[in-house]
């Protein structure tokens, strides 16, 4: 990179950082189940990842700080994911799906993460019968993340596709729920929550 003109070097460094953040988060949000140990480990990974990117910018000759790349949006999602990981909105099992959905929109982190990030994270609380989108698409998590994040770091056209896939997962779950109701693990409110918040998250993203 140091051999390139400064203006090009800065553009390349910024694009690599933007892509890396979104791709890392898209993969990480698909992890399930995600227990307390997993959350702590992932939080440390996010911290280490941020430091690595800052070092890359410094060594690669980037002219834009990590928190300023693309208007600060990728960095904001990186920071928001740390808060999201310790969301406990499902701890009270007496709350309805509608109540939990409404409270989600009061969380500070919700505005800074992509709809797909929030939806995929919620799957970590769901019954195993509710398929993850990459399993439903018969792909690996890496291949699925490739659909959400392009090499130039662009992301928006993948959000609508992610929601269509998620709807398919939820519809399959509702059809199988009665037949496989003996599976008592996971929170059965999650599929309904996903169907409630998905359209609103996309609407807010586009507005």
């Amino acid at each position: 990179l140091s051999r390139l003109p400064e203006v090009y070097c800065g553009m390349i460094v910024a694009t690599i950082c933007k892509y890396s953040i979104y791709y890392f988060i898209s993969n990480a949000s698909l992890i399930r189940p995600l227990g307390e140990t997993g959350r702590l480990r992932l939080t440390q990974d996010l911290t280490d990842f941020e430091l690595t990117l800052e070092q890359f910018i410094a060594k690669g000759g980037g002219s834009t700080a990590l928190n300023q790349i693309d208007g600060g949006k990728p960095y904001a999602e990186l920071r928001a994911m740390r808060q999201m990981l310790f969301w406990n909105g499902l701890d009270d099992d007496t709350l309805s799906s509608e109540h939990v959905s409404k409270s989600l929109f009061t969380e500070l982190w919700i505005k800074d993460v992509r709809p797909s990030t929030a939806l995929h994270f919620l799957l970590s609380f769901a019954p195993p019968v509710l398929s993850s989108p990459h399993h439903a698409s018969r792909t690996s998590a890496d291949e699925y993340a490739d659909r959400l994040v392009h090499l130039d770091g662009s992301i928006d056209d993948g959000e609508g596709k992610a929601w269509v896939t998620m709807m398919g997962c939820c519809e399959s779950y509702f059809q199988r729920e009665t037949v496989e109701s003996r599976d008592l693990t996971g929170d059965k409110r999650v599929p309904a929550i996903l169907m409630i918040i998905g359209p609103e998250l996309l609407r807010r993203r586009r507005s």
Side-chain angles (χ1 to χ4, degrees):
L1 290 176
S2 60
R3 297 182 180 181
L4 296 172
E6 184 177 345
V7 62
Y8 293 120
C9 181
M11 291 171 57
I12 292 172
V13 168
T15 299
I16 290 174
C17 288
K18 179 182 176 182
Y19 169 81
S20 298
I21 289 173
Y22 285 139
Y23 189 78
F24 181 93
I25 292 174
S26 288
N27 269 282
S29 64
L30 289 167
I31 297 173
R32 61 185 294 202
L34 188 60
E36 189 69 18
T37 300
R39 294 171 199 273
L40 291 172
R41 184 177 299 171
L42 189 49
T43 299
Q44 184 60 53
D45 288 345
L46 288 165
T47 301
D48 294 342
F49 180 58
E50 181 179 339
L51 178 60
T52 298
L53 290 178
E54 288 175 341
Q55 293 173 341
F56 171 68
I57 291 173
K59 293 179 180 179
S63 55
T64 305
L66 184 62
N67 63 358
Q68 297 299 315
I69 291 173
D70 195 28
K73 292 179 181 179
Y75 184 76
E77 182 163 346
L78 186 65
R79 284 300 182 94
M81 187 170 187
R82 290 182 187 145
Q83 301 174 47
M84 182 182 74
L85 284 173
F86 294 95
W87 174 73
N88 60 0
L90 290 169
D91 284 359
D92 185 347
D93 58 13
T94 66
L95 298 178
S96 67
S97 300
E98 292 76 13
H99 188 284
V100 175
S101 299
K102 185 177 180 180
S103 67
L104 263 170
F105 289 110
T106 67
E107 297 290 336
L108 295 176
W109 51 264
I110 197 72
K111 63 181 176 58
D112 290 323
V113 300
R114 286 165 289 157
S116 61
T117 300
L119 297 172
H120 295 162
F121 167 69
L122 287 171
L123 285 174
S124 67
F125 300 95
V129 178
L130 176 57
S131 298
S132 294
H134 57 292
H135 292 154
S137 301
R138 298 183 180 180
T139 63
S140 66
D142 286 346
E143 291 170 330
Y144 186 75
D146 282 335
R147 301 180 185 181
L148 303 179
V149 187
H150 299 297
L151 287 174
D152 63 357
S154 59
I155 52 173
D156 283 333
D157 66 335
E159 293 303 299
K161 296 174 184 176
W163 171 235
V164 170
T165 304
M166 182 62 74
M167 281 195 296
C169 293
C170 289
E171 288 168 0
S172 293
Y173 170 82
F174 293 135
Q175 292 172 4
R176 297 159 59 190
E177 181 182 15
T178 303
V179 177
E180 304 187 39
S181 60
R182 284 179 290 180
D183 186 349
L184 301 177
T185 60
D187 195 309
K188 293 188 176 183
R189 292 172 293 178
V190 172
I193 292 170
L194 294 173
M195 295 299 288
I196 292 170
I197 70 170
E200 178 61 15
L201 288 175
L202 280 177
R203 186 192 69 77
R204 293 187 181 197
R205 181 83 181 180
R206 292 165 178 165
S207 62

